[in-house]
Amino acid sequence: ASTCSMSPWVQVDSEAYTTCARRMNGSVVCWGSNRNGIVDGTPGTYTMNLAPRLVPGLTGATDVAVGEAVACAVVAGGAVRCW
């Protein structure tokens, strides 16, 4: 995953250690604890990421939710993708 420029955010959700934001263009960025790869997509790493990182391969998000060590987004068409 890479860091990203900040386009307008339309939704933010978080749990105790991780935050994700859905941007106007349908992409999602996350930051905070990387438990189970929730921030950078690399399972098994528990690093702290202070800068928002783009969720790789996720486009067209219409909703985002963050739980304990998991995040999910509803994408265009109603499918749900979790990471």
Side-chain angles (χ1 to χ4, degrees):
S2 62
T3 58
C4 58
S5 63
M6 295 293 104
S7 70
W9 298 0
V10 293
Q11 180 185 12
V12 176
D13 193 44
S14 64
E15 57 92 26
Y17 303 104
T18 306
T19 302
C20 293
R22 180 173 57 90
R23 301 187 315 173
M24 188 176 287
N25 66 6
S27 64
V28 173
V29 294
C30 297
W31 63 95
S33 173
N34 193 41
R35 288 179 60 194
N36 295 332
I38 194 171
V39 173
D40 70 7
T42 308
T45 61
Y46 291 90
T47 57
M48 184 61 70
N49 292 278
L50 300 180
R53 301 191 51 105
L54 186 64
V55 176
L58 180 64
T59 60
T62 59
D63 196 11
V64 66
V66 180
E68 186 175 337
V70 66
C72 296
V74 177
V75 296
V80 175
R81 178 170 170 221
C82 296
W83 61 96

